[in-house]
Amino acid sequence: MTGLSSSVLRAWERRHNLLEPERLEGGHRLYTELDLRTIRRVNELLQDGRTIGEIAAIGREKLLSLEERKVEPENQREDQNRLQEFASKLVVAARALDHLQFDEILDSAFAMFRTDRVIREVVHPAAVEVGELWAAGELSIAAEHMLSAALISRIDRLRQGLTASSKRARLVVCACPSGEQHELGILILSLFIESAGYRVAYLGRDLPLDELKQAAEQLDAKAVCLSVKLKRTLMLHQPDLEKLSKSWAGRIRLHLGGPGVIGYRPTIESSQVHTWPPDFTLQTFLDKLFITNDS
């Protein structure tokens, strides 16, 4: 009925908690109508380009609740309007300090659209707007922190749901340098790098550069990605970043991105640090992630 092997069904049950079959006395599984509906919904999303890890992060209950009322948009404008609505709802929930609404909104968005699109058109614009409102004094620090924590938690769940890459896959270190507390951007980048089939060692925020150097070399990393939101953080670390990139010449490619690099790119690029503006495309980034013979 499903076209799936028993081993796949068991994996969806044990590893991803998507199926809840009854167990007969002899140990056999008796799948229910809800299990069958879940399997069909999962298959729809897999055919849409989702990974089983992404789908598992949505959860069985949300998959089933959205199944009957899922409406296919007739055109791209309807897609965009719906995604913008999700982003706006996140901002409204942040104003109200309604952390329960965060999960409801994100569950619905990720169930209806591909992960990359939700991040690009819901998560990112909502985070930016909340940050701007906080900077303008129109939103509390508590609201900004609450939304950031919810988004970071969701992205981390998506990362945890990914199928482990081969141990032979090239490894990328991702982190924020010391003094940088904003980790959402680098966490999202880590998710996309892992989704592309590479291994990621995520070292989080506020990491001293000497510790970064030691870790990257010990792990035999092939690329290091850092995120800087504040220009003053970049100015503080710029001399050391230049030294670090030169010490890794021909071995490890150092990437630097985030709002903090705007206006400083020519100076940094002269030291072989690869800098990326906030609007870079993922495929272009992946094409230049590692050192090649012709780069």
PDB file of all heavy atoms in Angstrom, residues 142-178:
ATOM      1  N   ALA A 142      13.564  41.663  25.764  1.00  0.00           N
ATOM      2  CA  ALA A 142      12.999  40.351  26.059  1.00  0.00           C
ATOM      3  C   ALA A 142      12.332  39.754  24.824  1.00  0.00           C
ATOM      4  O   ALA A 142      12.473  38.555  24.538  1.00  0.00           O
ATOM      5  CB  ALA A 142      11.986  40.458  27.197  1.00  0.00           C
ATOM      6  N   ALA A 143      11.611  40.576  24.063  1.00  0.00           N
ATOM      7  CA  ALA A 143      10.934  40.096  22.860  1.00  0.00           C
ATOM      8  C   ALA A 143      11.940  39.638  21.813  1.00  0.00           C
ATOM      9  O   ALA A 143      11.774  38.587  21.180  1.00  0.00           O
ATOM     10  CB  ALA A 143      10.041  41.191  22.289  1.00  0.00           C
ATOM     11  N   GLU A 144      13.002  40.431  21.631  1.00  0.00           N
ATOM     12  CA  GLU A 144      14.038  40.080  20.657  1.00  0.00           C
ATOM     13  C   GLU A 144      14.726  38.789  21.058  1.00  0.00           C
ATOM     14  O   GLU A 144      14.956  37.895  20.225  1.00  0.00           O
ATOM     15  CB  GLU A 144      15.036  41.233  20.534  1.00  0.00           C
ATOM     16  CG  GLU A 144      16.002  41.121  19.362  1.00  0.00           C
ATOM     17  CD  GLU A 144      17.242  40.319  19.689  1.00  0.00           C
ATOM     18  OE1 GLU A 144      17.563  40.184  20.895  1.00  0.00           O
ATOM     19  OE2 GLU A 144      17.901  39.828  18.754  1.00  0.00           O
ATOM     20  N   HIS A 145      15.053  38.660  22.342  1.00  0.00           N
ATOM     21  CA  HIS A 145      15.726  37.459  22.819  1.00  0.00           C
ATOM     22  C   HIS A 145      14.822  36.235  22.700  1.00  0.00           C
ATOM     23  O   HIS A 145      15.282  35.139  22.355  1.00  0.00           O
ATOM     24  CB  HIS A 145      16.155  37.642  24.272  1.00  0.00           C
ATOM     25  CG  HIS A 145      17.359  38.509  24.418  1.00  0.00           C
ATOM     26  ND1 HIS A 145      18.024  38.682  25.624  1.00  0.00           N
ATOM     27  CD2 HIS A 145      18.030  39.264  23.521  1.00  0.00           C
ATOM     28  CE1 HIS A 145      19.043  39.499  25.454  1.00  0.00           C
ATOM     29  NE2 HIS A 145      19.062  39.865  24.189  1.00  0.00           N
ATOM     30  N   MET A 146      13.544  36.408  22.982  1.00  0.00           N
ATOM     31  CA  MET A 146      12.620  35.275  22.944  1.00  0.00           C
ATOM     32  C   MET A 146      12.473  34.730  21.525  1.00  0.00           C
ATOM     33  O   MET A 146      12.511  33.512  21.305  1.00  0.00           O
ATOM     34  CB  MET A 146      11.252  35.687  23.495  1.00  0.00           C
ATOM     35  CG  MET A 146      10.257  34.537  23.581  1.00  0.00           C
ATOM     36  SD  MET A 146       8.683  35.029  24.325  1.00  0.00           S
ATOM     37  CE  MET A 146       9.180  35.197  26.038  1.00  0.00           C
ATOM     38  N   LEU A 147      12.314  35.627  20.540  1.00  0.00           N
ATOM     39  CA  LEU A 147      12.192  35.170  19.167  1.00  0.00           C
ATOM     40  C   LEU A 147      13.496  34.536  18.694  1.00  0.00           C
ATOM     41  O   LEU A 147      13.485  33.478  18.053  1.00  0.00           O
ATOM     42  CB  LEU A 147      11.803  36.320  18.242  1.00  0.00           C
ATOM     43  CG  LEU A 147      11.684  35.934  16.761  1.00  0.00           C
ATOM     44  CD1 LEU A 147      10.599  34.876  16.566  1.00  0.00           C
ATOM     45  CD2 LEU A 147      11.399  37.150  15.891  1.00  0.00           C
ATOM     46  N   SER A 148      14.621  35.154  19.010  1.00  0.00           N
ATOM     47  CA  SER A 148      15.913  34.598  18.596  1.00  0.00           C
ATOM     48  C   SER A 148      16.110  33.195  19.148  1.00  0.00           C
ATOM     49  O   SER A 148      16.555  32.286  18.435  1.00  0.00           O
ATOM     50  CB  SER A 148      17.053  35.510  19.069  1.00  0.00           C
ATOM     51  OG  SER A 148      17.001  36.761  18.416  1.00  0.00           O
ATOM     52  N   ALA A 149      15.750  33.008  20.411  1.00  0.00           N
ATOM     53  CA  ALA A 149      15.897  31.694  21.034  1.00  0.00           C
ATOM     54  C   ALA A 149      15.018  30.658  20.337  1.00  0.00           C
ATOM     55  O   ALA A 149      15.438  29.514  20.109  1.00  0.00           O
ATOM     56  CB  ALA A 149      15.551  31.766  22.515  1.00  0.00           C
ATOM     57  N   ALA A 150      13.797  31.050  19.971  1.00  0.00           N
ATOM     58  CA  ALA A 150      12.879  30.132  19.296  1.00  0.00           C
ATOM     59  C   ALA A 150      13.397  29.758  17.909  1.00  0.00           C
ATOM     60  O   ALA A 150      13.334  28.589  17.507  1.00  0.00           O
ATOM     61  CB  ALA A 150      11.492  30.760  19.183  1.00  0.00           C
ATOM     62  N   LEU A 151      13.932  30.731  17.188  1.00  0.00           N
ATOM     63  CA  LEU A 151      14.442  30.459  15.844  1.00  0.00           C
ATOM     64  C   LEU A 151      15.694  29.601  15.901  1.00  0.00           C
ATOM     65  O   LEU A 151      15.864  28.662  15.114  1.00  0.00           O
ATOM     66  CB  LEU A 151      14.727  31.776  15.117  1.00  0.00           C
ATOM     67  CG  LEU A 151      13.515  32.675  14.866  1.00  0.00           C
ATOM     68  CD1 LEU A 151      13.946  33.959  14.172  1.00  0.00           C
ATOM     69  CD2 LEU A 151      12.456  31.950  14.038  1.00  0.00           C
ATOM     70  N   ILE A 152      16.578  29.904  16.851  1.00  0.00           N
ATOM     71  CA  ILE A 152      17.796  29.109  17.007  1.00  0.00           C
ATOM     72  C   ILE A 152      17.463  27.672  17.367  1.00  0.00           C
ATOM     73  O   ILE A 152      18.041  26.717  16.827  1.00  0.00           O
ATOM     74  CB  ILE A 152      18.702  29.742  18.080  1.00  0.00           C
ATOM     75  CG1 ILE A 152      19.330  31.039  17.541  1.00  0.00           C
ATOM     76  CG2 ILE A 152      19.803  28.769  18.521  1.00  0.00           C
ATOM     77  CD1 ILE A 152      20.036  31.861  18.579  1.00  0.00           C
ATOM     78  N   SER A 153      16.500  27.497  18.253  1.00  0.00           N
ATOM     79  CA  SER A 153      16.088  26.158  18.650  1.00  0.00           C
ATOM     80  C   SER A 153      15.532  25.381  17.460  1.00  0.00           C
ATOM     81  O   SER A 153      15.840  24.187  17.282  1.00  0.00           O
ATOM     82  CB  SER A 153      15.035  26.245  19.758  1.00  0.00           C
ATOM     83  OG  SER A 153      14.527  24.964  20.084  1.00  0.00           O
ATOM     84  N   ARG A 154      14.741  26.046  16.620  1.00  0.00           N
ATOM     85  CA  ARG A 154      14.140  25.362  15.478  1.00  0.00           C
ATOM     86  C   ARG A 154      15.211  24.970  14.450  1.00  0.00           C
ATOM     87  O   ARG A 154      15.196  23.858  13.918  1.00  0.00           O
ATOM     88  CB  ARG A 154      13.081  26.244  14.823  1.00  0.00           C
ATOM     89  CG  ARG A 154      12.404  25.620  13.606  1.00  0.00           C
ATOM     90  CD  ARG A 154      11.791  24.259  13.938  1.00  0.00           C
ATOM     91  NE  ARG A 154      10.784  24.378  14.954  1.00  0.00           N
ATOM     92  CZ  ARG A 154       9.480  24.334  14.710  1.00  0.00           C
ATOM     93  NH1 ARG A 154       9.033  24.138  13.487  1.00  0.00           N
ATOM     94  NH2 ARG A 154       8.615  24.429  15.709  1.00  0.00           N
ATOM     95  N   ILE A 155      16.141  25.875  14.161  1.00  0.00           N
ATOM     96  CA  ILE A 155      17.190  25.559  13.193  1.00  0.00           C
ATOM     97  C   ILE A 155      18.053  24.423  13.718  1.00  0.00           C
ATOM     98  O   ILE A 155      18.460  23.523  12.962  1.00  0.00           O
ATOM     99  CB  ILE A 155      18.064  26.804  12.907  1.00  0.00           C
ATOM    100  CG1 ILE A 155      17.209  27.946  12.336  1.00  0.00           C
ATOM    101  CG2 ILE A 155      19.178  26.446  11.933  1.00  0.00           C
ATOM    102  CD1 ILE A 155      16.446  27.589  11.089  1.00  0.00           C
ATOM    103  N   ASP A 156      18.332  24.426  15.014  1.00  0.00           N
ATOM    104  CA  ASP A 156      19.140  23.358  15.594  1.00  0.00           C
ATOM    105  C   ASP A 156      18.411  22.018  15.487  1.00  0.00           C
ATOM    106  O   ASP A 156      19.030  20.983  15.223  1.00  0.00           O
ATOM    107  CB  ASP A 156      19.455  23.677  17.055  1.00  0.00           C
ATOM    108  CG  ASP A 156      20.579  22.816  17.600  1.00  0.00           C
ATOM    109  OD1 ASP A 156      21.623  22.704  16.920  1.00  0.00           O
ATOM    110  OD2 ASP A 156      20.432  22.246  18.689  1.00  0.00           O
ATOM    111  N   ARG A 157      17.100  22.024  15.676  1.00  0.00           N
ATOM    112  CA  ARG A 157      16.320  20.790  15.517  1.00  0.00           C
ATOM    113  C   ARG A 157      16.400  20.281  14.086  1.00  0.00           C
ATOM    114  O   ARG A 157      16.512  19.071  13.853  1.00  0.00           O
ATOM    115  CB  ARG A 157      14.856  21.038  15.898  1.00  0.00           C
ATOM    116  CG  ARG A 157      14.594  21.028  17.386  1.00  0.00           C
ATOM    117  CD  ARG A 157      13.181  21.488  17.694  1.00  0.00           C
ATOM    118  NE  ARG A 157      12.163  20.742  16.952  1.00  0.00           N
ATOM    119  CZ  ARG A 157      10.886  21.112  16.873  1.00  0.00           C
ATOM    120  NH1 ARG A 157      10.489  22.222  17.484  1.00  0.00           N
ATOM    121  NH2 ARG A 157      10.021  20.382  16.205  1.00  0.00           N
ATOM    122  N   LEU A 158      16.354  21.178  13.132  1.00  0.00           N
ATOM    123  CA  LEU A 158      16.469  20.774  11.736  1.00  0.00           C
ATOM    124  C   LEU A 158      17.846  20.177  11.457  1.00  0.00           C
ATOM    125  O   LEU A 158      17.968  19.182  10.733  1.00  0.00           O
ATOM    126  CB  LEU A 158      16.213  21.974  10.815  1.00  0.00           C
ATOM    127  CG  LEU A 158      14.787  22.503  10.784  1.00  0.00           C
ATOM    128  CD1 LEU A 158      14.729  23.826  10.030  1.00  0.00           C
ATOM    129  CD2 LEU A 158      13.846  21.493  10.131  1.00  0.00           C
ATOM    130  N   ARG A 159      18.871  20.772  12.029  1.00  0.00           N
ATOM    131  CA  ARG A 159      20.231  20.236  11.865  1.00  0.00           C
ATOM    132  C   ARG A 159      20.328  18.841  12.459  1.00  0.00           C
ATOM    133  O   ARG A 159      20.916  17.933  11.859  1.00  0.00           O
ATOM    134  CB  ARG A 159      21.260  21.142  12.532  1.00  0.00           C
ATOM    135  CG  ARG A 159      21.525  22.458  11.825  1.00  0.00           C
ATOM    136  CD  ARG A 159      22.639  23.238  12.520  1.00  0.00           C
ATOM    137  NE  ARG A 159      23.875  22.499  12.481  1.00  0.00           N
ATOM    138  CZ  ARG A 159      24.557  22.124  13.570  1.00  0.00           C
ATOM    139  NH1 ARG A 159      24.115  22.399  14.770  1.00  0.00           N
ATOM    140  NH2 ARG A 159      25.690  21.466  13.445  1.00  0.00           N
ATOM    141  N   GLN A 160      19.762  18.653  13.637  1.00  0.00           N
ATOM    142  CA  GLN A 160      19.836  17.357  14.298  1.00  0.00           C
ATOM    143  C   GLN A 160      19.089  16.288  13.508  1.00  0.00           C
ATOM    144  O   GLN A 160      19.419  15.097  13.592  1.00  0.00           O
ATOM    145  CB  GLN A 160      19.255  17.451  15.710  1.00  0.00           C
ATOM    146  CG  GLN A 160      20.007  18.384  16.656  1.00  0.00           C
ATOM    147  CD  GLN A 160      21.464  18.001  16.833  1.00  0.00           C
ATOM    148  OE1 GLN A 160      21.815  16.833  16.875  1.00  0.00           O
ATOM    149  NE2 GLN A 160      22.327  19.003  16.928  1.00  0.00           N
ATOM    150  N   GLY A 161      18.095  16.693  12.723  1.00  0.00           N
ATOM    151  CA  GLY A 161      17.316  15.735  11.962  1.00  0.00           C
ATOM    152  C   GLY A 161      17.955  15.305  10.654  1.00  0.00           C
ATOM    153  O   GLY A 161      17.455  14.398   9.991  1.00  0.00           O
ATOM    154  N   LEU A 162      19.048  15.945  10.256  1.00  0.00           N
ATOM    155  CA  LEU A 162      19.698  15.591   9.009  1.00  0.00           C
ATOM    156  C   LEU A 162      20.381  14.232   9.121  1.00  0.00           C
ATOM    157  O   LEU A 162      20.892  13.854  10.172  1.00  0.00           O
ATOM    158  CB  LEU A 162      20.752  16.640   8.629  1.00  0.00           C
ATOM    159  CG  LEU A 162      20.228  18.005   8.191  1.00  0.00           C
ATOM    160  CD1 LEU A 162      21.385  18.972   8.014  1.00  0.00           C
ATOM    161  CD2 LEU A 162      19.434  17.894   6.897  1.00  0.00           C
ATOM    162  N   THR A 163      20.396  13.509   8.017  1.00  0.00           N
ATOM    163  CA  THR A 163      21.136  12.252   7.968  1.00  0.00           C
ATOM    164  C   THR A 163      22.620  12.556   8.040  1.00  0.00           C
ATOM    165  O   THR A 163      23.118  13.448   7.353  1.00  0.00           O
ATOM    166  CB  THR A 163      20.834  11.500   6.659  1.00  0.00           C
ATOM    167  OG1 THR A 163      19.428  11.261   6.585  1.00  0.00           O
ATOM    168  CG2 THR A 163      21.574  10.185   6.605  1.00  0.00           C
ATOM    169  N   ALA A 164      23.340  11.836   8.884  1.00  0.00           N
ATOM    170  CA  ALA A 164      24.764  12.097   9.083  1.00  0.00           C
ATOM    171  C   ALA A 164      25.535  11.931   7.774  1.00  0.00           C
ATOM    172  O   ALA A 164      25.320  10.977   7.026  1.00  0.00           O
ATOM    173  CB  ALA A 164      25.321  11.158  10.140  1.00  0.00           C
ATOM    174  N   SER A 165      26.407  12.890   7.486  1.00  0.00           N
ATOM    175  CA  SER A 165      27.238  12.808   6.293  1.00  0.00           C
ATOM    176  C   SER A 165      28.329  11.762   6.489  1.00  0.00           C
ATOM    177  O   SER A 165      28.669  11.394   7.614  1.00  0.00           O
ATOM    178  CB  SER A 165      27.876  14.170   5.995  1.00  0.00           C
ATOM    179  OG  SER A 165      26.886  15.160   5.788  1.00  0.00           O
ATOM    180  N   SER A 166      28.868  11.295   5.394  1.00  0.00           N
ATOM    181  CA  SER A 166      29.961  10.332   5.461  1.00  0.00           C
ATOM    182  C   SER A 166      31.141  10.934   6.218  1.00  0.00           C
ATOM    183  O   SER A 166      31.430  12.134   6.107  1.00  0.00           O
ATOM    184  CB  SER A 166      30.403   9.952   4.049  1.00  0.00           C
ATOM    185  OG  SER A 166      31.635   9.263   4.075  1.00  0.00           O
ATOM    186  N   LYS A 167      31.833  10.107   6.981  1.00  0.00           N
ATOM    187  CA  LYS A 167      33.009  10.574   7.716  1.00  0.00           C
ATOM    188  C   LYS A 167      34.110  11.044   6.774  1.00  0.00           C
ATOM    189  O   LYS A 167      35.028  11.747   7.193  1.00  0.00           O
ATOM    190  CB  LYS A 167      33.525   9.474   8.627  1.00  0.00           C
ATOM    191  CG  LYS A 167      32.588   9.137   9.789  1.00  0.00           C
ATOM    192  CD  LYS A 167      33.197   8.083  10.697  1.00  0.00           C
ATOM    193  CE  LYS A 167      32.265   7.790  11.871  1.00  0.00           C
ATOM    194  NZ  LYS A 167      32.818   6.761  12.786  1.00  0.00           N
ATOM    195  N   ARG A 168      34.013  10.656   5.502  1.00  0.00           N
ATOM    196  CA  ARG A 168      35.007  11.088   4.525  1.00  0.00           C
ATOM    197  C   ARG A 168      34.653  12.429   3.894  1.00  0.00           C
ATOM    198  O   ARG A 168      35.464  12.993   3.155  1.00  0.00           O
ATOM    199  CB  ARG A 168      35.142  10.023   3.432  1.00  0.00           C
ATOM    200  CG  ARG A 168      35.790   8.732   3.928  1.00  0.00           C
ATOM    201  CD  ARG A 168      35.801   7.669   2.859  1.00  0.00           C
ATOM    202  NE  ARG A 168      34.451   7.193   2.573  1.00  0.00           N
ATOM    203  CZ  ARG A 168      34.167   6.222   1.713  1.00  0.00           C
ATOM    204  NH1 ARG A 168      35.138   5.636   1.052  1.00  0.00           N
ATOM    205  NH2 ARG A 168      32.911   5.853   1.509  1.00  0.00           N
ATOM    206  N   ALA A 169      33.452  12.937   4.182  1.00  0.00           N
ATOM    207  CA  ALA A 169      33.058  14.241   3.635  1.00  0.00           C
ATOM    208  C   ALA A 169      33.920  15.342   4.245  1.00  0.00           C
ATOM    209  O   ALA A 169      34.330  15.261   5.405  1.00  0.00           O
ATOM    210  CB  ALA A 169      31.585  14.509   3.927  1.00  0.00           C
ATOM    211  N   ARG A 170      34.194  16.370   3.464  1.00  0.00           N
ATOM    212  CA  ARG A 170      35.016  17.475   3.955  1.00  0.00           C
ATOM    213  C   ARG A 170      34.314  18.210   5.098  1.00  0.00           C
ATOM    214  O   ARG A 170      33.099  18.350   5.100  1.00  0.00           O
ATOM    215  CB  ARG A 170      35.333  18.442   2.816  1.00  0.00           C
ATOM    216  CG  ARG A 170      36.363  17.893   1.851  1.00  0.00           C
ATOM    217  CD  ARG A 170      36.580  18.781   0.658  1.00  0.00           C
ATOM    218  NE  ARG A 170      35.458  18.700  -0.275  1.00  0.00           N
ATOM    219  CZ  ARG A 170      35.436  19.286  -1.469  1.00  0.00           C
ATOM    220  NH1 ARG A 170      36.479  19.999  -1.876  1.00  0.00           N
ATOM    221  NH2 ARG A 170      34.385  19.169  -2.260  1.00  0.00           N
ATOM    222  N   LEU A 171      35.121  18.650   6.051  1.00  0.00           N
ATOM    223  CA  LEU A 171      34.579  19.255   7.273  1.00  0.00           C
ATOM    224  C   LEU A 171      34.730  20.772   7.240  1.00  0.00           C
ATOM    225  O   LEU A 171      35.763  21.299   6.832  1.00  0.00           O
ATOM    226  CB  LEU A 171      35.279  18.681   8.501  1.00  0.00           C
ATOM    227  CG  LEU A 171      34.731  19.164   9.849  1.00  0.00           C
ATOM    228  CD1 LEU A 171      34.602  18.008  10.825  1.00  0.00           C
ATOM    229  CD2 LEU A 171      35.637  20.246  10.451  1.00  0.00           C
ATOM    230  N   VAL A 172      33.683  21.448   7.699  1.00  0.00           N
ATOM    231  CA  VAL A 172      33.655  22.905   7.771  1.00  0.00           C
ATOM    232  C   VAL A 172      33.414  23.312   9.224  1.00  0.00           C
ATOM    233  O   VAL A 172      32.523  22.777   9.884  1.00  0.00           O
ATOM    234  CB  VAL A 172      32.537  23.484   6.888  1.00  0.00           C
ATOM    235  CG1 VAL A 172      32.529  25.009   6.940  1.00  0.00           C
ATOM    236  CG2 VAL A 172      32.675  22.991   5.454  1.00  0.00           C
ATOM    237  N   VAL A 173      34.206  24.241   9.720  1.00  0.00           N
ATOM    238  CA  VAL A 173      34.014  24.792  11.058  1.00  0.00           C
ATOM    239  C   VAL A 173      33.203  26.078  10.938  1.00  0.00           C
ATOM    240  O   VAL A 173      33.524  26.944  10.117  1.00  0.00           O
ATOM    241  CB  VAL A 173      35.361  25.078  11.750  1.00  0.00           C
ATOM    242  CG1 VAL A 173      35.147  25.914  13.017  1.00  0.00           C
ATOM    243  CG2 VAL A 173      36.065  23.774  12.108  1.00  0.00           C
ATOM    244  N   CYS A 174      32.149  26.198  11.736  1.00  0.00           N
ATOM    245  CA  CYS A 174      31.309  27.395  11.732  1.00  0.00           C
ATOM    246  C   CYS A 174      31.242  27.971  13.143  1.00  0.00           C
ATOM    247  O   CYS A 174      31.048  27.222  14.108  1.00  0.00           O
ATOM    248  CB  CYS A 174      29.897  27.065  11.249  1.00  0.00           C
ATOM    249  SG  CYS A 174      29.794  26.564   9.523  1.00  0.00           S
ATOM    250  N   ALA A 175      31.390  29.289  13.255  1.00  0.00           N
ATOM    251  CA  ALA A 175      31.398  29.908  14.573  1.00  0.00           C
ATOM    252  C   ALA A 175      31.224  31.416  14.459  1.00  0.00           C
ATOM    253  O   ALA A 175      31.181  31.977  13.351  1.00  0.00           O
ATOM    254  CB  ALA A 175      32.712  29.587  15.299  1.00  0.00           C
ATOM    255  N   CYS A 176      31.119  32.073  15.608  1.00  0.00           N
ATOM    256  CA  CYS A 176      31.156  33.534  15.713  1.00  0.00           C
ATOM    257  C   CYS A 176      32.379  33.903  16.531  1.00  0.00           C
ATOM    258  O   CYS A 176      32.635  33.279  17.574  1.00  0.00           O
ATOM    259  CB  CYS A 176      29.909  34.073  16.402  1.00  0.00           C
ATOM    260  SG  CYS A 176      28.370  33.794  15.511  1.00  0.00           S
ATOM    261  N   PRO A 177      33.169  34.895  16.124  1.00  0.00           N
ATOM    262  CA  PRO A 177      34.366  35.272  16.881  1.00  0.00           C
ATOM    263  C   PRO A 177      34.006  35.901  18.218  1.00  0.00           C
ATOM    264  O   PRO A 177      32.856  36.288  18.460  1.00  0.00           O
ATOM    265  CB  PRO A 177      35.058  36.273  15.957  1.00  0.00           C
ATOM    266  CG  PRO A 177      33.955  36.855  15.144  1.00  0.00           C
ATOM    267  CD  PRO A 177      32.969  35.744  14.937  1.00  0.00           C
ATOM    268  N   SER A 178      34.978  35.979  19.097  1.00  0.00           N
ATOM    269  CA  SER A 178      34.742  36.529  20.428  1.00  0.00           C
ATOM    270  C   SER A 178      34.162  37.940  20.331  1.00  0.00           C
ATOM    271  O   SER A 178      34.571  38.745  19.507  1.00  0.00           O
ATOM    272  CB  SER A 178      36.045  36.558  21.233  1.00  0.00           C
ATOM    273  OG  SER A 178      37.051  37.277  20.544  1.00  0.00           O
TER     274      SER A 178
END
